[in-house]
Amino acid sequence: MADVPAAGRDAMRSLAASLGDRANEMAAAGLVADVPALWEDAIAGLQDDGSRALITLAYAWYQALHGEVEHGLRLAVRLRDCPVSSVRAQIRVLVRNRMRVEPDLVGQTWLALTETGLPSWASLSDRDIDAVGEWLTAASWEESRAIYDAGVSGIRSQDIDAALEEIALGDPRLRAPVAVHRAVLVLGADVGYGCLSDAREAARVAGNAVLAGDWNALRACATIELTVHGLGFLGGVHGVAAELVAGGDLAISPLMSERIAVLARDAAPWELAQAASDLAVVGDGSLVALLAAIPDSLQR
């Protein structure tokens, strides 16, 4: 199930508002017991999973804010893995909202439905989320570093990561910058910002990651090379190498090799030489196909 198109979201917002108004009228008339049926009948009448998820989310919020907190939480928790990213983002907000008021009830309800403890995002503070959001949307890398040093660096890394994930869920357009900032967290601020500022430095750090067998760092470098510096070939090679070696799935498809060969045609000579050197260090036979995709004449 993909995210619901904008037109569909607008229609569901209108439906949710209408259902909320009608539910309030029913409650004022003493018909509180009939309110669940109003929402449930509307949800059952919808034609697709995405629309049902959006209205179930609205139903969860309604119940949580109108005295049926446990029921609202149960509705919300059951949507925690919903493929619609905006729903998952709002579930987190709802759970955290109630966590600050009724932490025991939230914890018990979550445990009853998932048989696990509450995830770290449930205890995120608004201040930390706002700080990470400001960091993510800085106008320059210099400003970004200043924001990081002034406040973000004092937040636990797992909380920074959770806040970044929530921001990306709320606005899929931010997935690329979120990936870059996660890469900085993996590499550490000093190394990460060095890589952001200079493509050759990112490549050098990637080469060191290969030597150390640090595939998480290599993956982070690949993200920066691709997203920040536009190094489609070198970033692609590093990303593929990190995924294949770290994941243990070492099969390289002909299509992948062909794509690498195409990217190699537009790559700078230093990129080609770096990629060939790094793949040789990895030394895994499964990566021979990638190395072979780089024309010999370009590697020199």
Side-chain angles (χ1 to χ4, degrees), residues 208-298:
N208 288 341
V210 171
L211 288 170
D214 188 342
W215 311 120
N216 287 331
L218 182 60
R219 188 182 296 111
C221 289
T223 296
I224 290 173
E225 289 168 334
L226 284 165
T227 307
V228 177
H229 299 301
L231 301 178
F233 170 74
L234 187 58
V237 167
H238 284 155
V240 168
E243 294 301 327
L244 292 177
V245 178
D249 181 5
L250 301 175
I252 297 176
S253 70
L255 183 61
M256 185 183 298
S257 294
E258 181 180 350
R259 175 60 177 162
I260 292 294
V262 169
L263 290 171
R265 296 171 192 163
D266 296 323
W270 73 267
E271 286 185 72
L272 297 161
Q274 180 77 49
S277 174
D278 290 342
L279 290 178
V281 170
V282 173
D284 195 294
S286 63
L287 296 175
V288 170
L290 282 182
L291 192 58
I294 306 172
D296 290 339
S297 60
L298 295 178

Side-chain angles (χ1 to χ4, degrees), residues 40-41 69 74 95 248 253 274 283:
E40 290 162 9
D41 287 348
V69 178
R74 286 181 172 273
V95 169
S253 70
Q274 180 77 49

